[in-house]
Amino acid sequence: MQPILLTPGPLTTSERTRSAMLSDWGSWDGEFNRLTASVCGDLLAIAGGEGTHACVPLQGSGTFAVEAALGTFVPRNGKVLVPSNGAYADRIIRILEVLGREVRVIEHREDEPLDVSRVAAALSSDPAITHVALVHCETGTGVLNALDEVARTVANHGRTLVVDAMSSFAAVAIDVSITPIDVLIAASGKCLEGVPGMGFVIASKANLSAASGNSHSLALDLHDQWGYMQRTGQWRYTPPTHVVAALRSAIDQFVEEGGQPARGTRYRMQCGELVSGMRQLGFRTLLADDVQSPIIVTFLAPDHPAYSFPELYRRVRDSGFILYPGKLTRIETFRIGCIGAITVQDIARAVGAVGDALNAMGIRLGATS
Ligand SMILES: *Cc1c(COP(=O)(O)O)cnc(C)c1O
């Protein structure tokens, strides 16, 4: 029996999504080009970007798309403001440093949401800032940041907003026709429940048209990928054909489920079941409930001499569930994802498996609230 992945990508996909990969496609063939066009059209519609924005897909994991977007849309003499409260914002900072783009960071604690007034103050005081890069759901902890407020602030200050919505797209409402977002980045293998291997960037056509020659990279130049795709209907360089086919099927299932509202509701139920079940067992969440996203939950390692994450992981894995290590440097934590083609019952069984593992390890904790 295949284990259930309680990880935020790769995640558990449906049988139907996996079956969609049982053919081969020629990258020059009209049938595959139509597949690409239909996927990109649907992604653009899900984001609310029809007419104003374009969807540019890119081979690789999500970070490739983040690096491509920063390199393509931030001119070489640009300056990017990065409000950071976790590992994925830190990755953006690292990418900008590698690319040689000027960065200004607003540091936050990892368990607190971004303070929009600090973003506004930085934009008012520093006219050199051209772009703001925001992580919507900080998957390192599970904090959901205030996308709408940040977007309005950035737009009011006349700057360009780049959003890493990797772990929120399709689960949390994002509509670029309502919220001013210039560049939105996500990927196949997260809340759309496809398989990993393809990122995509929903960018305003104005920003795309202006981005010629910015990129430091040939393969990661989204302006070039966009132009080539418009002219030929094809990807530059070998496309991840099976990933695109799986995403086509995953989007069909997303629509059948009821789109983002239904998916968000299911994830919130799964998250609620997880948090209440784990608290019953005596675990504490890192985050307060009001900043917790329905995507992934960080739990503090219990303060008990017999606790070890590798042992908990192994025992829970033997019961059929894959947990996720923590990503905080200062305190020991672990994470459990609430996303994927799973049910509330799967989460309840996973919590049961954690409880059985604790018993077997001789750990008894009192319920927390
Ligand atoms: C998953 C994720 C990424 C991309 O990570 P990869 O390992 O490259 O797929 C980027 N940002 C966020 C917020 C993510 O959750």
Side-chain angles (χ1 to χ4, degrees):
M1 175 128 157
Q2 296 198 33
I4 289 181
L5 302 180
L6 297 177
T7 57
L11 40 61
T12 303
T13 56
S14 72
E15 179 94 41
R16 190 169 144 200
T17 297
R18 292 193 298 274
S19 314
M21 292 183 284
L22 296 176
S23 311
D24 299 313
W25 287 265
S27 63
W28 283 67
D29 193 64
E31 199 184 331
F32 181 71
N33 295 344
R34 282 190 291 280
L35 197 61
T36 298
S38 82
V39 164
C40 290
D42 283 5
L43 294 174
L44 190 61
I46 293 167
E50 285 164 309
T52 53
H53 290 57
C55 174
V56 187
L58 185 74
Q59 300 93 328
S61 86
T63 304
F64 290 66
V66 174
E67 181 161 332
L70 293 170
T72 300
F73 295 105
V74 181
R76 295 185 194 200
N77 60 0
K79 177 170 181 177
V80 186
L81 179 68
V82 186
S84 169
N85 58 350
Y88 286 95
D90 289 346
R91 187 176 297 174
I92 286 177
I93 295 164
R94 181 89 186 94
I95 290 169
L96 290 165
E97 286 167 359
V98 169
L99 299 186
R101 304 300 201 271
E102 206 181 334
V103 193
R104 172 154 165 193
V105 180
I106 306 178
E107 293 281 2
H108 292 69
R109 287 206 327 262
E110 285 182 302
D111 61 351
E112 64 178 5
L114 297 178
D115 178 349
V116 184
S117 69
R118 294 176 67 195
V119 175
L123 293 177
S124 299
S125 68
D126 189 347
I129 295 169
T130 53
H131 293 66
V132 176
L134 171 75
V135 176
H136 185 202
C137 171
E138 176 49 80
T139 322
T141 53
V143 180
L144 190 64
N145 288 316
L147 172 58
D148 282 286
E149 272 181 88
V150 172
R152 282 182 208 296
T153 302
V154 174
N156 287 341
H157 285 82
R159 315 300 169 78
T160 301
L161 179 64
V162 179
V163 179
D164 172 351
M166 208 70 70
S167 63
S168 54
F169 188 80
V172 181
I174 303 175
D175 185 336
V176 302
S177 73
I178 299 172
T179 306
I181 300 170
D182 303 289
V183 178
L184 182 72
I185 312 160
S188 54
K190 299 230 169 162
C191 300
L192 286 168
E193 300 182 358
V195 302
M198 168 191 153
F200 54 90
V201 178
I202 312 276
S204 83
K205 290 181 188 168
N207 275 279
L208 269 167
S209 302
S212 170
N214 283 345
S215 183
H216 59 292
S217 164
L218 176 69
L220 299 183
D221 186 343
L222 295 174
H223 178 269
D224 209 35
Q225 178 92 316
W226 176 58
Y228 187 84
M229 208 165 256
Q230 278 188 311
R231 289 192 301 278
T232 64
Q234 293 167 13
W235 300 56
R236 293 176 319 159
Y237 321 135
T238 304
T241 46
H242 296 72
V243 176
V244 178
L247 184 56
R248 176 65 271 159
S249 173
I251 293 172
D252 291 341
Q253 294 164 68
F254 168 78
V255 172
E256 287 163 22
E257 184 176 351
Q260 177 276 321
R263 184 144 301 179
T265 299
R266 175 163 62 84
Y267 287 176
R268 270 195 303 282
M269 285 169 59
Q270 289 167 182
C271 183
E273 178 76 22
L274 175 68
V275 169
S276 66
M278 291 292 282
R279 284 178 178 158
Q280 286 283 308
L281 292 177
F283 287 94
R284 290 176 196 283
T285 57
L286 172 75
L287 300 176
D289 290 347
D290 60 343
V291 298
Q292 172 68 56
S293 68
I295 308 299
I296 185 165
V297 182
T298 300
F299 293 99
L300 305 181
D303 185 14
H304 190 286
Y307 175 78
S308 104
F309 180 70
E311 184 172 353
L312 177 70
Y313 180 92
R314 185 179 55 73
R315 290 183 179 278
V316 173
R317 198 207 183 288
D318 287 346
S319 307
F321 301 93
I322 304 273
L323 305 180
Y324 210 47
K327 224 179 168 84
L328 300 189
T329 41
R330 273 164 298 224
I331 38 176
E332 198 193 340
T333 57
F334 64 93
R335 290 175 293 169
I336 301 183
C338 315
I339 65 178
I342 58 172
T343 62
V344 169
Q345 290 72 33
D346 291 324
I347 294 283
R349 287 193 302 115
V351 171
V354 171
D356 292 345
L358 287 187
N359 283 336
M361 292 161 76
I363 300 174
R364 266 202 114 64
L365 309 164
T368 57
S369 57

